[in-house]
Amino acid sequence: MRQDSSKSVLSLRDLTIGYDGRIVMENINFDVKKGEIISILGQSGCGKSTLLKNIIGLYEPLKGSIEILGRNLNECSEARRRVMMKKMGITYQSGALLGSLTIAENVALPLEEHTRKSAGEIQKIATEKLTLVGMEKFADYMPSEISGGMKKRAGLARALALDPELLFFDEPSAGLDPISSAEFDTLIKNIRNKSNATVVLVTHELDSIFSISDRVVVLDKTIKTIADIGNPYDLRINSKSEFVRRLLGRNNLKRQE
Amino acid sequence: MRMLKFADIEKWHKTQHRESYNFIVFCGDVTLAVIDAIRHPFRIRGRETLYYLEQCGVCSVPIVLLICFLLGMILAFQGALQLSKFGTEIFIVDLVSFSVLKELGPFMVAIIATGRAGSAFAAEIGTMIADEEVNALSTMGISIPRFLVIPKLIAMMIALPILSAFGDIAALLGGMLVGNVMADIPLGAYYARTVNILDAQTFLFGIGKSVIFAILISLIGCHKGLQSTMDAQGVGRSATNAVVSGILAVVVCDALIAVIDSLGG
Ligand SMILES: Nc1ncnc2c1ncn2[C@@H]1O[C@H](COP(=O)(O)OP(=O)(O)OP(=O)(O)O)[C@@H](O)[C@H]1O
Ligand SMILES: [Mg+2]
């Protein structure tokens, strides 16, 4: 399970996560290599979002360490944290756009905060990113005036504004229709292919896992830890865990019945 | 009815303790953001500040004028009832002028602002928490106090003193009307006595207090908002809490200032 950590952009070591001392998941160890798309899968309420929030530094782990690009977010200074955050793009389940700014201003915000570019340049980059996600027509709309799926795409444009090395998604396809969800998956894959960014993806959708993930981390609520890690097609057949084989083979089982 | 157990009190005490601790940490963060804003004034979010200035300032003018005018009338009315027993109606002017400028003007404006601005700040930030906007800001490496608190704080620190001045004038006019109609004090005499007994210090004392109230109301509003839980009820609760705690803080602070003032004077 452990790899050479010098090559990995994200590495979790003996991690225990939870709230107020209540353990949600423990003994989490895995590495993510540069340019990889890795999905996190598990039952509802098993702690996927919690894990993601620990990784991006919103919560502090109960035990163990998380290294992103060779640094531990919880141990570095505020200034260093700001620098680290510039290298990470995060999209939230609801889009999490700021309601008081237009779509274009939302995308421009990280650029205004973290770069010294001129207003013209910032606007150019914002338009570019919005075009990438197919939202350029809605640049001047307010977040309350666009649909849920559009919010997610605008959120992605904002996450891409600073050309991050690492991209995090919390359930990008939740609440989207199957077509939009497949489009979103293709978008993620294209972005990875173009910029060689590393992508960490929390999802419920088996389709996304099989279509875009290089590897999948399966969490199991009953044993409170990782059930298995590996290529989804491989795990579906060869996983040592009965739970993982059943979960990943769910599509097929349904059809056979 | 269930009896209040010792454990409940202990639990309540502990939550209160943690709340105060959180609030102190929050105030520290805001102080750092204020220092940062003074050092880099161009990084203050101007458009937001203007927006809140309009929301908390301009839009509150009618209600402040109305309430303070009525308050001045009520004061003068009660004063007239009592003072006419001694034939000293002219002292209505003293009663109204001093109580309005030193206490009631800034106080009423602070109460109105708590209801309007404090609750709005808490609800706004609470909604942002529920929509994960605050998380998004934090993971974009943007300082929450600088981004969310400073514009509101600046707007309130500008708006409340100006509103208090408006409120003062409205209340004095209300008092003048009742003094003239009920106690037959000629308008000229009322005006002359007002100008005679009031000085800049009295006025500035009240205005200074309103700046302190502005800081209290915005800090409490923002803090309650940031403590909101991620649901609609949480947002409602935090707005209510902001008003209750805001009014309490304003009253306690006002009382403290009155005590300190009386010791000093
Ligand atoms: N803010 C919180 N405080 C305390 N416990 C929490 C909090 N958020 C989540 N939990 C608990 O942590 C556990 C994991 O929750 P989490 O949101 O990480 O699940 P999830 O895997 O993302 O589920 P879903 O697929 O439904 O989004 C749950 O048992 C939940 O009750
Ligand atoms: Mg989740």
Side-chain angles (χ1 to χ4, degrees), chain A residues 49 93 170-171:
Chain A
S49 300
Q93 187 160 342
D170 194 355
E171 313 219 359

Side-chain angles (χ1 to χ4, degrees), chain A residues 173 176-187 205 207:
Chain A
S173 44
L176 296 188
D177 62 278
I179 298 173
S180 311
S181 142
E183 274 175 13
F184 210 94
D185 288 345
T186 320
L187 192 60
E205 295 283 322
D207 287 347

Side-chain angles (χ1 to χ4, degrees), chain B residues 32-62:
Chain B
L32 291 179
V34 168
I35 294 171
D36 184 61
I38 294 170
R39 281 170 54 195
H40 310 280
F42 56 90
R43 288 191 40 171
I44 295 171
R45 299 188 61 80
R47 211 181 63 181
E48 267 83 356
T49 310
L50 285 180
Y51 168 80
Y52 292 115
L53 209 48
E54 188 189 338
Q55 285 299 309
C56 318
V58 181
C59 296
S60 302
V61 170

Side-chain angles (χ1 to χ4, degrees), chain A residues 34-246:
Chain A
K34 183 155 179 52
E36 194 174 24
I37 298 184
I38 190 156
S39 323
I40 300 173
L41 175 73
Q43 305 108 308
S44 187
C46 72
K48 303 182 293 294
S49 300
T50 309
L51 177 59
L52 193 69
K53 283 179 178 157
N54 274 273
I55 294 175
I56 61 183
L58 283 175
Y59 295 134
E60 224 171 296
L62 299 179
K63 220 184 89 204
S65 73
I66 300 168
E67 282 195 1
I68 297 181
L69 305 166
R71 285 184 186 272
N72 188 330
L73 269 185
N74 293 308
E75 280 167 12
C76 56
S77 68
E78 191 58 27
R80 168 58 60 185
R81 204 182 85 92
R82 268 172 65 89
V83 175
M84 298 283 296
M85 283 311 185
K86 278 162 62 175
K87 298 181 185 166
M88 293 157 58
I90 296 144
T91 53
Y92 292 85
Q93 187 160 342
S94 58
L97 301 167
L98 298 176
S100 59
L101 305 177
T102 66
I103 303 301
E105 286 168 341
N106 263 291
V107 178
L109 186 65
L111 294 159
E112 283 165 5
E113 290 290 326
H114 292 297
T115 65
R116 292 182 183 280
K117 292 189 166 68
S118 71
E121 269 177 293
I122 288 179
Q123 205 187 348
K124 208 183 112 224
I125 299 175
T127 316
E128 199 179 288
K129 301 297 175 194
L130 281 172
T131 314
L132 191 66
V133 299
M135 286 287 296
E136 70 281 7
K137 287 199 200 80
F138 301 94
D140 295 326
Y141 281 54
M142 297 305 284
S144 57
E145 296 166 343
I146 61 175
S147 77
M150 288 153 111
K151 278 185 198 158
K152 279 188 183 175
R153 280 193 277 165
L156 174 58
R158 180 175 69 182
L160 293 173
L162 291 168
D163 296 316
E165 294 175 37
L166 267 156
L167 268 172
F168 296 93
F169 294 88
D170 194 355
E171 313 219 359
S173 44
L176 296 188
D177 62 278
I179 298 173
S180 311
S181 142
E183 274 175 13
F184 210 94
D185 288 345
T186 320
L187 192 60
I188 294 174
K189 196 157 192 173
N190 286 345
I191 288 163
R192 191 277 306 265
N193 292 347
K194 218 184 277 174
S195 65
N196 201 29
T198 310
V199 179
V200 179
L201 190 76
V202 167
T203 185
H204 275 308
E205 295 283 322
L206 288 177
D207 287 347
S208 330
I209 289 175
F210 284 106
S211 65
I212 64 171
S213 316
D214 298 314
R215 283 194 303 157
V216 56
V217 177
V218 186
L219 300 180
D220 188 352
K221 202 171 172 175
T222 47
I223 54 172
K224 287 193 172 185
T225 188
I226 296 177
D228 211 343
I229 300 183
N231 180 281
Y233 291 98
D234 187 29
L235 287 189
R236 178 162 63 171
I237 302 158
N238 299 327
S239 172
K240 287 188 293 281
S241 155
E242 156 90 29
F243 167 73
V244 174
R245 286 198 309 270
R246 277 235 317 273

Side-chain angles (χ1 to χ4, degrees), chain B residues 183-199:
Chain B
D184 293 326
I185 307 170
L187 288 180
Y190 194 106
Y191 175 77
R193 175 135 189 105
T194 306
V195 176
N196 199 9
I197 55 174
L198 288 181
D199 52 7

Side-chain angles (χ1 to χ4, degrees), chain B:
Chain B
M1 213 178 82
R2 189 170 153 268
M3 288 279 287
L4 192 63
K5 295 212 189 71
F6 179 72
D8 292 331
I9 301 174
E10 199 186 345
K11 193 174 149 209
W12 178 82
H13 182 80
K14 266 189 187 150
T15 25
Q16 292 300 310
H17 183 82
R18 196 166 52 214
E19 285 239 337
S20 336
Y21 174 77
N22 282 342
F23 186 65
I24 292 169
V25 171
F26 171 73
C27 291
D29 288 345
V30 175
T31 311
L32 291 179
V34 168
I35 294 171
D36 184 61
I38 294 170
R39 281 170 54 195
H40 310 280
F42 56 90
R43 288 191 40 171
I44 295 171
R45 299 188 61 80
R47 211 181 63 181
E48 267 83 356
T49 310
L50 285 180
Y51 168 80
Y52 292 115
L53 209 48
E54 188 189 338
Q55 285 299 309
C56 318
V58 181
C59 296
S60 302
V61 170
I63 182 91
V64 162
L65 289 182
L66 179 67
I67 290 186
C68 288
F69 185 77
L70 293 176
L71 193 79
M73 285 176 67
I74 296 167
L75 264 183
F77 180 73
Q78 294 298 339
L81 284 184
Q82 301 304 322
L83 292 169
S84 61
K85 292 179 192 162
F86 311 100
T88 51
E89 283 92 342
I90 190 66
F91 288 115
I92 293 172
V93 183
D94 300 51
L95 172 75
V96 172
S97 315
F98 280 108
S99 41
V100 162
L101 258 64
K102 290 188 86 166
E103 283 295 336
L104 292 170
F107 183 76
M108 282 318 291
V109 167
I111 300 294
I112 297 167
T114 313
R116 278 189 68 107
S119 62
F121 292 170
E124 184 193 309
I125 297 182
T127 312
M128 292 182 72
I129 295 237
D131 289 346
E132 293 193 291
E133 288 174 41
V134 174
N135 279 348
L137 280 176
S138 147
T139 51
M140 277 191 279
I142 295 173
S143 146
I144 306 286
R146 185 176 74 73
F147 200 88
L148 291 181
V149 183
I150 296 290
K152 300 181 175 69
L153 186 64
I154 295 177
M156 287 285 277
M157 285 173 73
I158 297 172
L160 278 213
I162 298 175
L163 282 176
S164 297
F166 276 118
D168 286 351
I169 294 168
L172 291 182
L173 289 176
M176 189 184 254
L177 181 70
V178 171
N180 181 248
V181 173
M182 265 197 58
D184 293 326
I185 307 170
L187 288 180
Y190 194 106
Y191 175 77
R193 175 135 189 105
T194 306
V195 176
N196 199 9
I197 55 174
L198 288 181
D199 52 7
Q201 205 192 337
T202 312
F203 172 71
L204 290 178
F205 177 80
I207 297 299
K209 277 210 303 199
S210 72
V211 176
I212 298 174
F213 294 157
I215 297 173
L216 279 178
I217 297 166
S218 17
L219 287 185
I220 290 173
C222 294
H223 181 246
K224 292 293 173 196
L226 284 171
Q227 292 214 311
S228 165
T229 47
M230 289 185 128
D231 55 355
Q233 288 185 337
V235 176
R237 271 198 305 273
S238 65
T240 312
N241 284 342
V243 174
V244 175
S245 310
I247 291 180
L248 186 67
V250 166
V251 173
V252 170
C253 172
D254 199 21
L256 279 179
I257 294 176
V259 170
I260 293 169
D261 181 46
S262 72
L263 290 180

